[in-house]
Amino acid sequence: IDIEVVAETGSTNADLLARAAGLARPVLRVAEHQTAGRGRAGRSWLSAPGSALTFSLAWHFSGPLRELAGLPLAVGVALADALGALGVPVQLKWPNDVLRDGAKLAGVLIETQAAPGGGVWAVIGAGLNLLMPDEMEQRIGRSVAAAPWLAQMDRNALMAQVLGVLATNLGQFAHGGFAPFCARWNRLHAYHGLPVVIIDRGATLHEGVAAGVDDGARLLLDTAGGRIAIVAGDVSLRVR
Ligand code: ATP
């Protein structure tokens, strides 16, 4: 894995996506500060200098794109493993968030590009809040979490720990897909048995009781009309 550390950039995901077609090896790109961090569907991910660990990892998968549907959830499991081992227990929110005490501690954004020699380059971005200055929380406008204990750790050591766990899990995902992660994800599910709504740009699509995910990484929702399985696209989940 090639490792790059930059003081500042717009978005590590954008940087690696722009180069994905020419990559020969996996690349980890870490930014001390991101000025235009991205979330899903054009949303933004905010951080202040020194407040977060922000990085992207470009990883090649030989299968077709559709096999990557469960990747954001598998990455969530890997982050939860890494954080748990560092003394920060977390839970997962479908499809792509890591929560601490019910508030968002980290987000995952995966963007893909066909690889010229076959398969897909997945650019796996993550932002992990270490400190949360008040003015940033106000700008985000919702309850957010931080991990001040990790902010005291050497940043390289923290990144190395996370990268080690992530790489192991990506290898497992490449061989077995999401299935080997399913039970682990369900043990970490933040909203198991709770009433939730699934929304798309503000509009409610479904409501029901969250019953975990299946081995295709779909959210199982017990609705008035029976159990349905929701594909992780651009939809978001809210607790009712
Ligand atoms: P949601 O979290 O609203 O269900 P989502 O998981 O789709 O939606 P993402 O697109 O992954 O959200 O992340 C972007 C959203 O995360 C922003 O719209 C904002 O609400 C929130 N956000 C932005 N910066 C941070 C941060 N540093 N910590 C926690 N949350 C943040």
Side-chain angles (χ1 to χ4, degrees):
I1 301 178
D2 289 344
I3 296 180
E4 307 170 352
V5 181
V6 295
E8 184 177 296
T9 189
S11 149
T12 53
N13 255 45
D15 293 348
L16 289 185
L17 259 189
R19 289 157 47 196
L23 295 180
R25 277 188 302 278
V27 181
L28 174 75
R29 186 169 174 86
V30 190
E32 308 269 3
H33 180 46
Q34 278 196 140
T35 54
R38 311 209 287 214
R40 296 186 304 148
R43 290 186 282 269
S44 48
W45 183 264
L46 299 181
S47 56
S51 78
L53 183 70
T54 50
F55 64 89
S56 299
L57 176 61
W59 198 266
H60 183 265
F61 290 93
S62 51
L65 188 57
R66 63 182 152 73
E67 286 176 9
L68 298 187
L71 185 57
L73 286 80
V75 169
V77 171
L79 291 178
D81 276 359
L83 290 166
L86 291 164
V88 180
V90 295
Q91 292 189 299
L92 299 176
K93 176 187 169 204
W94 185 89
N96 67 328
D97 292 340
V98 177
L99 308 184
R100 184 180 188 198
D101 298 328
K104 195 152 153 179
L105 176 69
V108 173
L109 174 68
I110 298 181
E111 297 177 280
T112 54
Q113 183 156 313
V120 180
W121 279 102
V123 177
I124 301 162
L128 166 65
N129 297 326
L130 300 173
L131 301 169
M132 183 52 66
D134 285 346
E135 66 79 29
M136 215 173 81
E137 180 153 11
Q138 274 157 25
R139 272 170 65 207
I140 297 170
R142 54 193 287 192
S143 89
V144 285
W149 154 248
L150 298 183
Q152 291 173 24
M153 246 183 105
D154 175 78
R155 207 55 64 88
N156 292 329
L158 174 61
M159 187 66 248
Q161 287 253 23
V162 172
L163 177 62
V165 176
L166 197 51
T168 304
N169 281 280
L170 291 175
Q172 193 179 9
F173 185 89
H175 282 106
F178 182 69
F181 292 88
C182 182
R184 292 159 73 196
W185 197 96
N186 282 321
R187 278 197 292 276
L188 294 161
H189 187 191
Y191 300 134
H192 197 83
L194 295 181
V196 300
V197 295
I198 300 299
I199 58 172
D200 184 3
R201 278 157 285 165
T204 299
L205 295 181
H206 305 286
E207 50 184 86
V209 172
V213 295
D214 65 11
D215 60 12
R218 293 172 304 192
L219 179 74
L220 300 171
L221 196 64
D222 289 326
T223 72
R227 175 166 286 192
I228 60 172
I230 301 166
V231 177
D234 277 342
V235 295
S236 295
L237 177 152
R238 292 280 178 280
V239 188
R240 236 194 298 159

